Amino acid sequence: MNSLCDLDKKDLKARLKRIEGQVRGLQRMIEEDKYCVDVLYQINAVQGGLKKVGLKILDKHVHGCVQRAVKDKEGDKVIDELMGVLSKFTD
Amino acid sequence: MNSLCDLDKKDLKARLKRIEGQVRGLQRMIEEDKYCVDVLYQINAVQGGLKKVGLKILDKHVHGCVQRAVKDKEGDKVIDELMGVLSKFTD
Amino acid sequence: MNSLCDLDKKDLKARLKRIEGQVRGLQRMIEEDKYCVDVLYQINAVQGGLKKVGLKILDKHVHGCVQRAVKDKEGDKVIDELMGVLSKFTD
Amino acid sequence: MNSLCDLDKKDLKARLKRIEGQVRGLQRMIEEDKYCVDVLYQINAVQGGLKKVGLKILDKHVHGCVQRAVKDKEGDKVIDELMGVLSKFTD
């Protein structure tokens, strides 16, 4: 189970819904031969949106799951797992 | 008009279709309280897919539009525009 | 005070020493008109080295300072600070 | 040979000199047990400086070498090489 309350879940799902629409928009841009540079800026916008979702989940994870694990003396394991995913995100 | 042939367009639309499905999958993961770290890895996978689409479009743009512009003595303008979007992508 | 033991400090200083040498090498490459693409690959190598140093410090920080703060009921403050620097690193 | 004029070279060397000093500063921060988060922000600043140097060299490379190659009908080869280094930089 994760650390997201109903309010967080609603916000994240709304953001992902918008991102889904943007990805559909990208397909249309390709179909309609839109100018490459405009497509690239749109891809960049989607990546920005995804990054924001990722940071929000990360924030909840560290404040929630990681803190709980530290209090339950399971901190090192959960932090190693966190570092694994962080090393991917900083790529 | 962009520099994508029908084969490129088909490939890019298939990739974006898959990304759209992954973004829908992310909404389900949030809904079903999947573990944050698994959601984060999935976000990372979507970002990787988008990056690949971006690089493919960039490749076609530079080989196509930019080369054409240079031959038509419009190179500097198109290259300034390219650098603008590249400075975003390296963020 | 940070969470680095003498062994970590020695390793990090050796890595930064190497990075310093690479940055001096870059100045030479510019001076000697080396091919741009080779300079760009070398810049990329330095960025990779810095990223590794950053991840190592981050790892020590979360395992050390953050865990200690959580146990001392100062977790939320230190985690907010951590998220601030992480949002920069994922740029 | 690259596409940098003397003015560009002077600017880039000054920037790299500053970065070299920052990397030396990082070694001191580690030695003096400065707070991890401050070290991480400083690493981030160095990465920003390196990125700027990279973008400046890239700009000169595309405006200079790449345009020249296209005019000499060597465009595709030089652009493939460019895409190789760009795919690294967008990591």
Side-chain angles (χ1 to χ4, degrees):
Chain A
M1 216 208 60
N2 64 41
S3 298
L4 302 170
C5 66
D6 284 349
L7 210 67
D8 293 328
K9 285 171 65 169
K10 208 181 145 185
D11 169 64
L12 290 168
K13 285 194 291 175
R15 286 174 185 275
L16 287 166
K17 195 87 209 153
R18 209 174 316 135
I19 290 169
E20 187 194 331
Q22 288 174 310
V23 175
R24 253 196 309 274
L26 280 167
Q27 295 168 62
R28 260 193 316 274
M29 290 179 88
I30 299 290
E31 184 55 46
E32 297 169 0
D33 291 315
K34 289 286 185 283
Y35 185 45
C36 314
V37 173
D38 295 332
V39 183
L40 289 170
Y41 273 113
Q42 186 59 17
I43 290 177
N44 195 250
V46 180
Q47 286 175 319
L50 274 170
K51 189 196 147 179
K52 210 158 206 168
V53 169
L55 281 173
K56 277 175 180 279
I57 293 173
L58 193 61
D59 182 277
K60 296 300 165 186
H61 178 62
V62 183
H63 276 290
C65 309
V66 174
Q67 276 208 90
R68 256 196 315 277
V70 172
K71 286 169 186 164
D72 295 349
K73 305 189 191 321
E74 297 273 344
D76 284 319
K77 209 186 87 191
V78 166
I79 291 168
D80 282 340
E81 183 191 60
L82 172 71
M83 291 307 302
V85 75
L86 279 182
S87 73
K88 287 275 183 185
F89 264 88
T90 50
D91 258 356
Chain B
M1 214 208 62
N2 65 41
S3 299
L4 302 169
C5 67
D6 284 349
L7 209 68
D8 293 329
K9 284 171 65 169
K10 208 181 145 187
D11 169 62
L12 289 169
K13 284 195 291 176
R15 286 175 185 273
L16 287 166
K17 194 89 210 151
R18 209 173 316 134
I19 290 169
E20 186 194 330
Q22 287 174 312
V23 175
R24 255 197 309 275
L26 280 168
Q27 295 169 61
R28 260 194 316 275
M29 289 179 89
I30 299 290
E31 183 56 45
E32 297 169 359
D33 292 315
K34 288 287 185 281
Y35 186 46
C36 314
V37 173
D38 295 333
V39 183
L40 290 169
Y41 273 113
Q42 186 59 16
I43 290 176
N44 195 250
V46 180
Q47 287 176 320
L50 274 170
K51 188 195 148 180
K52 211 158 203 167
V53 169
L55 282 172
K56 278 174 180 279
I57 293 173
L58 192 62
D59 181 276
K60 296 299 166 186
H61 178 61
V62 184
H63 277 289
C65 310
V66 174
Q67 277 208 91
R68 257 196 314 275
V70 172
K71 286 167 186 165
D72 296 348
K73 304 191 190 320
E74 297 273 343
D76 284 319
K77 208 186 88 191
V78 165
I79 291 168
D80 282 340
E81 182 191 61
L82 172 72
M83 290 309 300
V85 74
L86 279 181
S87 75
K88 286 274 183 186
F89 264 88
T90 49
D91 258 357
Chain C
M1 215 207 61
N2 64 41
S3 300
L4 303 170
C5 67
D6 285 348
L7 209 66
D8 293 328
K9 285 170 65 169
K10 208 181 146 185
D11 169 63
L12 289 168
K13 285 194 290 177
R15 286 174 184 275
L16 287 166
K17 195 88 210 153
R18 210 173 316 135
I19 290 169
E20 187 194 329
Q22 288 175 310
V23 175
R24 255 195 310 274
L26 280 167
Q27 295 168 62
R28 261 193 316 274
M29 290 179 88
I30 299 291
E31 183 55 47
E32 297 170 1
D33 292 315
K34 289 284 184 284
Y35 185 47
C36 314
V37 172
D38 295 333
V39 183
L40 289 170
Y41 274 112
Q42 186 59 16
I43 290 177
N44 194 249
V46 180
Q47 286 176 318
L50 274 170
K51 189 195 148 178
K52 211 158 204 168
V53 169
L55 282 172
K56 276 175 180 279
I57 293 174
L58 192 61
D59 182 277
K60 296 300 166 187
H61 177 61
V62 183
H63 277 289
C65 309
V66 175
Q67 276 208 91
R68 257 196 315 275
V70 172
K71 285 169 186 164
D72 295 349
K73 306 191 189 323
E74 298 272 343
D76 284 320
K77 209 186 87 193
V78 166
I79 291 169
D80 282 341
E81 184 192 58
L82 172 71
M83 290 308 302
V85 75
L86 278 182
S87 73
K88 287 274 184 186
F89 264 88
T90 49
D91 258 358
Chain D
M1 215 208 62
N2 64 41
S3 300
L4 302 170
C5 66
D6 285 348
L7 209 69
D8 292 329
K9 283 170 65 169
K10 208 180 145 186
D11 169 62
L12 289 169
K13 285 194 291 176
R15 286 174 185 275
L16 287 166
K17 194 89 210 151
R18 208 173 318 134
I19 290 168
E20 186 194 331
Q22 288 175 310
V23 175
R24 254 196 310 274
L26 280 167
Q27 294 168 61
R28 261 194 314 276
M29 289 179 89
I30 299 290
E31 182 56 45
E32 296 169 2
D33 292 315
K34 288 286 185 281
Y35 185 46
C36 314
V37 173
D38 296 333
V39 183
L40 289 170
Y41 274 113
Q42 187 59 16
I43 289 176
N44 194 249
V46 180
Q47 287 176 319
L50 274 171
K51 188 196 147 178
K52 212 159 203 165
V53 170
L55 281 172
K56 277 174 181 279
I57 293 173
L58 192 61
D59 181 277
K60 296 299 166 187
H61 177 62
V62 183
H63 276 290
C65 310
V66 174
Q67 276 208 91
R68 256 196 316 274
V70 172
K71 286 167 186 164
D72 296 348
K73 305 192 191 318
E74 297 273 344
D76 284 321
K77 209 187 88 193
V78 166
I79 291 170
D80 282 341
E81 184 192 60
L82 172 72
M83 290 308 301
V85 74
L86 278 182
S87 74
K88 286 275 183 186
F89 264 88
T90 49
D91 257 358

